[in-house]
Amino acid sequence: MGKADIPVVRRSLFSWVFAGNVKLQITLLFIIVVMVFARVVPLEMQKRIVNEAINLRDIDKLFLYCGIYLVAVIFFSGLKYLTNLVQTLITQRATADMRKALYHHILTLPLGFFRNTQPGSVVNSLVTELAMPGNFVGMAVSAPVTNILTLLAFAVYLFLLNPLLAGVSFSIYPIVVFLVPVLQRGVNRANRQRVDAARTLSSRIAESVSGIHEVHGNGAYTIENKKYDRLVDRLLKIRIVWSLYRFAVKTSNGFFISLGPFIVFLLGGYLTIKGQLELGALVAFLSAQERLYDPWKELIEFYQVYQDGSVTYKRTMEFFDVMPEHVIEPQDRDALDLEPSIDVRDLSFVTDSGIRLLDGINLSLNAGEHLALVGFSGSGKSTLALCIGQLYSYTKGHVLIGDKEVAKLTKRDMVNNMGFVAQSPFIFEGTIEENLLYACRAKAKGNGQGDAGLPTLDDIISVLQQTGIFVDVLRFGMNTILAYDENQELVDVIIRIRDNFQRDYGEELADYVEFFDENRYLYHSSVAENLIFGTPNKGEFNNTNLCTNPYFLKFLKQADLTRPLLSLGADLARQTVDILGNLPPDAVFFEQSPIRAQELDSFKVVVARLRRGKLHELSAEHHEQLLDLAMRFVPGVHKMAALPALLENLILEGRALFREKISEDDPEAITSYQVSEYIYSQTILNNIFFGKTKTANPQAQEKINQSIIQLLIEEDLLETITEIGMQYQVGSKGDKLSGGQQQKLAIARVFLKNPNLLIMDEATSALDNKSQARIQNLLETRWKKNNTVISVVHRLDTIKNYDQVAVMKAGKILEIGTYDELMARKGMLYELVGKK
């Protein structure tokens, strides 16, 4: 078995040192040799500067030796930077390769492994735990070679200066070499505990976040806090012990190293005084002794990195040392194309804990037949389906697809022939299109087809329509906001559709739609919207901020609108208080008033003061309240009061004045509604619609939608909008989609793949009756006799047209046959249907 065939969890940490980094490591060795030489040169220059330049008062030699000293220091610094650069590159490459290889291995592990493993543990292992082994790989060559060569070079140089002094100086190092490993054992023990505790803590965090709805639903904050706090406290104690041992290693090392200068001063000073050692040699010896600390310190740190990295690496790989249950890719052959007949013989499945979930299952299906698996919860229906689909490895018996044993097929063989939809399907973060093509891309890339094997847009739209999610995707497309000054051709067509919509359907939809018209007052828009008559691009021009916007307030005065709008606000407040003042604050009573139920008490105060005085005598705060009330007044909705005709005309005049002023003063603030211009701040739908609906009646909305869809079809734009809709981001785990949309998307994903064998594990449980009937009808018409279907069914009214129905209990098939046959027997199925 070659190195490439060794599973990543069985590879040693040292195997990563040269893996893919041979050239970099050789380059690093060359740089290190040159760097060590450059590090010794300054020591010799120090000796010569003292002995030959200063003692002999030779200025030329002083400049020469100082120059060589400076060049050596600069050269060494440059090489040191280059070494760190290459070392970092090796570290990051190795860490990335470890993460990739381990992740690739993790994805192939049996489903049983993930039932017992929290996602947080996997995340912590991949992201955090492999960083330290990666650091070791980057240092594995450079750190020991650099520092050992430096120590040897310094040792040789010091022995050349004075053998006695060098021997005494180096006598302390054997003590350190003995002491550090003793302390390091404590470091390793604490580090193993730290890795395990950190992994447990990550699992606890992942579990709490995944189940946050249960935490909130039960108010279980205290329970979760205590669980988390206990783990954090345990990790705190472990990290303290770990750090104390690490500091002990550094402190003891530093203490013994500090004895070096003491020995040099004592013995070297004595030898110099006695004339047995030159002063320059003593200076060079002291400098070398001081610099000895750096490589020795780095060697100790490298030793610690190796020990920590080794422990972490071993712990991580041991955790994932589980082998895939099936070969992933076939060797020396293409993936098989199997006849989708099913033959199950004496099938049993026993869990690792000894629980028997399936016991002696026997059944046969011809190619193209459909089987419904029914029974109470826990009867083994899903387990049987998953064993047939190779998602679980059965422990006894046989499952044949065509004439091939499922246990001996590779994963690629199964993927090539099978599709699977779970009861709670997983939707990946990304676009609808990415999720739709997920299974097709996996199959195509596995067979070496790449994107050439993907379905066409027509195929995708067909499946979207079949599964009932087409309308949702189309709506996502219609609710898309196009980027400014892009898709000009599309913009032109949308403006044309807008014109056609008003021309062809304006009269028919007159009772449902109020189109934007700059010369008419819009009764289903607020006063603010009538004045602005456009889409705000700046926050201060949003409807909620207009009454505090100095520019807008100044405009109202110039347009002589301030007083009339305050009067309108006062009338609205009086009428609402008079009519609704004594009713309970229920929102249903306030639907025809711009005052909200929770605002009633504050407006009662305003009305009371109006009755005691004049409008202009109110405070600025009350003026702002009344102005805001008037600005959100929608005559077509708030029918409790009427809009005065005079004020209506003033607002229309004010609209023209505002457009003129804002276009001069701040043209970027508002995008005005113009029938010939596209509004980039609005959705495609709003640009086509170009108005407001007068009613929330679903039938009216459906009629409007059908009218727009018809125009899209006429302009050959339906596919384009659908493509845009497929770029909708579904969010993390598809949380921007409803449960039904997620299930429809998962069904569409597998229908698009069109597998020979389709396994559906309660795949329609989240769908409404109409959607479920649609899917069932599709299975019975388009999939019958073409594709084999095994369906775990939760609704017994959908199983009448299945070729076979298997009733399960306690891991066994109690009866199997057609629906009519089983009902005629009045056995288990008959009882189940009766209980339903």
Side-chain angles (χ1 to χ4, degrees), residues 245-507:
Y245 272 115
R246 286 169 62 88
F247 292 147
V249 173
K250 290 183 179 181
T251 302
S252 59
N253 180 54
F255 169 74
F256 285 106
I257 295 302
S258 298
L259 290 178
F262 167 76
I263 294 172
V264 173
F265 276 121
L266 183 64
L267 181 58
Y270 175 81
L271 293 175
T272 303
I273 291 171
K274 292 294 184 178
Q276 298 176 21
L277 184 67
E278 295 175 337
L279 181 60
L282 178 61
V283 171
F285 209 104
L286 281 169
S287 181
Q289 178 67 47
E290 182 181 348
R291 295 187 187 185
L292 271 176
Y293 175 70
D294 290 335
W296 184 255
K297 174 188 171 186
E298 289 180 15
L299 273 176
I300 296 298
E301 288 178 352
F302 168 73
Y303 177 71
Q304 283 191 309
V305 169
Y306 163 64
Q307 292 292 337
D308 291 344
S310 179
V311 168
T312 305
Y313 180 82
K314 185 177 180 182
R315 212 67 171 173
T316 301
M317 294 306 173
E318 284 175 350
F319 185 72
F320 295 106
D321 191 4
V322 180
M323 290 297 104
E325 293 176 324
H326 304 280
V327 177
I328 305 302
E329 298 288 344
Q331 300 294 320
D332 303 322
R333 66 171 175 83
D334 294 331
L336 299 174
D337 191 9
L338 303 172
E339 180 195 14
S341 59
I342 306 294
D343 189 11
V344 179
R345 304 172 191 165
D346 195 28
L347 181 69
S348 296
F349 178 75
V350 181
T351 66
D352 294 337
S353 56
I355 300 173
R356 185 174 291 274
L357 298 181
L358 295 178
D359 187 8
I361 299 291
N362 291 280
L363 65 87
S364 293
L365 278 178
N366 295 323
E369 285 190 332
H370 290 196
L371 167 70
L373 297 174
V374 301
F376 289 113
S377 178
S379 60
K381 307 184 299 293
S382 296
T383 304
L384 174 56
L386 293 173
C387 284
I388 293 173
Q390 206 195 59
L391 294 171
Y392 287 169
S393 289
Y394 44 91
T395 49
K396 182 185 176 185
H398 302 277
V399 177
L400 301 178
I401 299 180
D403 58 349
K404 302 295 182 182
E405 180 74 45
V406 165
K408 296 180 180 179
L409 292 172
T410 67
K411 280 292 181 184
R412 177 58 53 198
D413 295 325
M414 293 302 297
V415 167
N416 215 44
N417 292 276
M418 184 197 72
F420 177 75
V421 187
Q423 179 180 2
S424 301
F426 192 90
I427 303 300
F428 293 91
E429 184 174 8
T431 66
I432 286 178
E433 182 183 30
E434 289 169 341
N435 275 279
L436 270 174
L437 296 177
Y438 188 79
C440 294
R441 281 202 170 109
K443 179 180 178 181
K445 291 184 182 297
N447 292 332
Q449 294 174 287
D451 289 343
L454 298 182
T456 65
L457 180 59
D458 288 340
D459 294 332
I460 294 173
I461 290 177
S462 176
V463 167
L464 291 176
Q465 291 173 332
Q466 291 168 15
T467 53
I469 198 175
F470 175 75
V471 174
D472 297 300
V473 175
L474 187 63
R475 188 176 71 252
F476 294 143
M478 295 295 286
N479 287 327
T480 299
I481 295 176
L482 298 179
Y484 184 72
D485 273 353
E486 292 185 13
N487 302 295
Q488 191 57 49
E489 283 187 29
L490 178 58
V491 164
D492 293 340
V493 176
I494 291 172
I495 293 174
R496 187 163 66 246
I497 292 175
R498 175 197 296 171
D499 295 336
N500 295 341
F501 181 57
Q502 294 191 21
R503 185 193 66 221
D504 298 345
Y505 298 98
E507 188 174 334

Side-chain angles (χ1 to χ4, degrees), residues 2-36:
K3 184 178 290 187
D5 298 323
I6 299 175
V8 62
V9 291
R10 306 279 171 82
R11 287 181 61 175
S12 70
L13 179 56
F14 286 96
S15 70
W16 298 95
V17 174
F18 289 98
N21 294 309
V22 175
K23 292 182 180 179
L24 285 176
Q25 296 285 25
I26 293 173
T27 303
L28 202 55
L29 286 173
F30 175 75
I31 296 171
I32 288 168
V33 172
V34 178
M35 188 172 67
V36 169

